Amino acid sequence: NLNDLKKFYKNRGVSKSEIIPSAWEASDFFKNVGERDRHFYFLAAPILDSSGNITGAVETVQDITRRIMAESELRESQERYRILTEQVADGVALVLEGKLNFVNEAFAGIFGYKSPEELVGVAVVTLIRHDDKQIYQRLEADFKAGRFAKKSLELRCNRADGSEFWIEAHNNVIAWSGTPALLATVRDISERKHRELANREETHKLRNENVRLRSQLKDRY
């Protein structure tokens, strides 16, 4: 009960509440409360008389052990995920609500950034070349509507220095902290795409040349 908690709370730091004016709050860890180790959140609001003098206080106590444990487990999960993805040669990104929640070193390198931290919180659509933005936006709309189907995409993107390059992205839907998220593995395919485009252009030239020669032969004979 609250009386049992007072002796544990003595001399612990508090701060001004951002929720209620003139109130104070604190959260801390307490051992062996009700035969369990617990995390508590305290909020103390003063009771004032008509002259503005403090005559008492209303204090609320909330057991936030589950939330703290969930946050701790999430941090541990993120750390394990980070360690795992650093062993992968491909770029890996976790997308939540259209923004990069996590990227590995390989992903940052592909996009020309020095560290993954530079990309965390960045909207994915800003990394995509203007002409291909609609391709990604359609995928994002399908994902939000629960009809996600297209798992592989080829897109033109922007490096940190503004140069254009091609990526191939394989996307999967996963649950992250109880929220649907996109897990994407990314590979730079610029060299392959340039070969494909060059071959396509050469084929187009040969086809036109063939038509021209056939026309000349027809006129001659």
Side-chain angles (χ1 to χ4, degrees):
N1 60 41
L2 186 56
N3 290 329
D4 293 329
L5 293 175
K6 287 181 179 178
K7 60 181 180 181
F8 293 106
Y9 194 64
K10 186 179 180 181
N11 297 327
R12 294 181 184 266
V14 295
S15 60
K16 290 188 71 66
S17 172
E18 297 180 359
I19 304 172
I20 301 175
S22 303
W24 295 84
E25 62 181 13
S27 57
D28 218 325
F29 172 73
F30 298 85
K31 292 186 69 66
N32 194 25
V33 178
E35 300 181 353
R36 286 180 55 193
D37 294 342
R38 300 174 188 265
H39 293 266
F40 285 101
Y41 167 77
F42 297 84
L43 178 66
I47 298 174
L48 307 177
D49 61 18
S50 57
S51 301
N53 299 313
I54 298 177
T55 59
V58 175
E59 183 171 356
T60 59
V61 182
Q62 183 181 3
D63 187 338
I64 58 171
T65 306
R66 284 189 179 181
R67 192 192 78 195
I68 296 295
M69 295 301 291
E71 291 174 353
S72 176
E73 289 173 4
L74 176 59
R75 285 194 297 270
E76 290 176 6
S77 176
Q78 289 175 328
E79 182 62 18
R80 288 194 299 270
Y81 184 73
R82 184 190 66 78
I83 292 171
L84 176 64
T85 56
E86 292 308 332
Q87 313 306 315
V88 180
D90 290 341
V92 180
L94 184 71
V95 182
L96 279 173
E97 297 180 354
K99 295 182 179 180
L100 295 168
N101 183 266
F102 169 87
V103 301
N104 65 351
E105 291 279 356
F107 187 98
I110 289 171
F111 280 82
Y113 290 84
K114 293 180 180 179
S115 70
E117 288 72 24
E118 293 181 78
L119 285 164
V120 173
V122 172
V124 175
V125 72
T126 63
L127 300 176
I128 300 171
R129 208 72 173 177
H130 179 72
D131 293 344
D132 287 357
K133 285 184 188 292
Q134 287 186 348
I135 299 173
Y136 172 76
Q137 287 169 336
R138 284 196 296 269
L139 177 144
E140 195 173 50
D142 288 344
F143 170 71
K144 289 179 179 178
R147 55 174 185 268
F148 181 79
K150 195 169 184 64
K151 293 188 176 182
S152 181
L153 289 174
E154 292 183 357
L155 298 167
R156 286 170 294 177
C157 293
N158 301 307
R159 284 197 176 90
D161 62 6
S163 60
E164 177 182 310
F165 72 107
W166 283 87
I167 66 163
E168 181 180 69
H170 297 274
N171 308 285
N172 287 285
V173 178
I174 66 169
W176 188 260
S177 302
T179 303
L182 276 178
L183 178 64
T185 56
V186 173
R187 185 174 297 174
D188 186 340
I189 59 167
S190 299
E191 187 175 337
R192 190 191 85 195
K193 290 298 294 185
H194 291 155
R195 284 199 306 268
E196 288 178 2
L197 293 172
N199 290 338
R200 193 177 303 167
E201 185 176 351
E202 183 65 22
T203 300
H204 181 69
K205 287 180 179 179
L206 289 172
R207 185 178 292 113
N208 288 342
E209 181 66 12
N210 185 41
V211 170
R212 187 183 66 80
L213 290 173
R214 289 169 68 89
S215 178
Q216 286 181 350
L217 286 170
K218 182 179 179 182
D219 291 341
R220 183 174 300 177
Y221 299 104

